[in-house]
């Protein structure tokens, strides 16, 4: 199954915002701190997931060329 950039963005946003809301819940943050946490972790999740997907794509291309 092939994944595109849009799928990577969606998965990264989902993972990041879930993690960010969990952190905000554990620290008992309200309003602006919770929103900031969710935003920061959401953006970080998108960036990390796109980087991982590109790395995996590049790795799969190099193994398919060597065969």
């Amino acid at each position: 199954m092939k994944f595109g950039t849009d799928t990577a963005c969606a998965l990264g946003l989902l993972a990041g915002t879930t993690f960010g809301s969990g952190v905000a819940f554990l620290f008992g943050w309200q309003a602006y701190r919770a929103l900031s946490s969710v935003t920061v972790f959401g953006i970080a999740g998108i960036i990390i997931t796109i980087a991982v997907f590109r790395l995996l794509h590049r790795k799969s291309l190099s193994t398919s060329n060597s065969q």
Side-chain angles (χ1 to χ4, degrees):
M1 181 175 183
K2 287 192 170 191
F3 292 107
T5 306
D6 54 345
T7 306
C9 286
L11 290 175
L13 182 65
L14 177 65
T17 55
T18 303
F19 184 74
S21 64
V23 167
F25 174 76
L26 289 175
F27 284 116
W29 292 342
Q30 299 294 322
Y32 292 115
R33 282 188 177 178
L35 184 62
S36 300
S37 171
V38 170
T39 302
V40 167
F41 282 110
I43 292 170
I46 291 172
I47 293 169
I48 291 169
T49 310
I50 288 175
V52 168
F53 273 67
R54 285 188 179 177
L55 179 72
L56 291 175
H57 180 68
R58 192 174 305 147
K59 191 174 183 180
S60 70
L61 285 178
S62 67
T63 57
S64 65
N65 287 339
S66 65
Q67 292 178 355

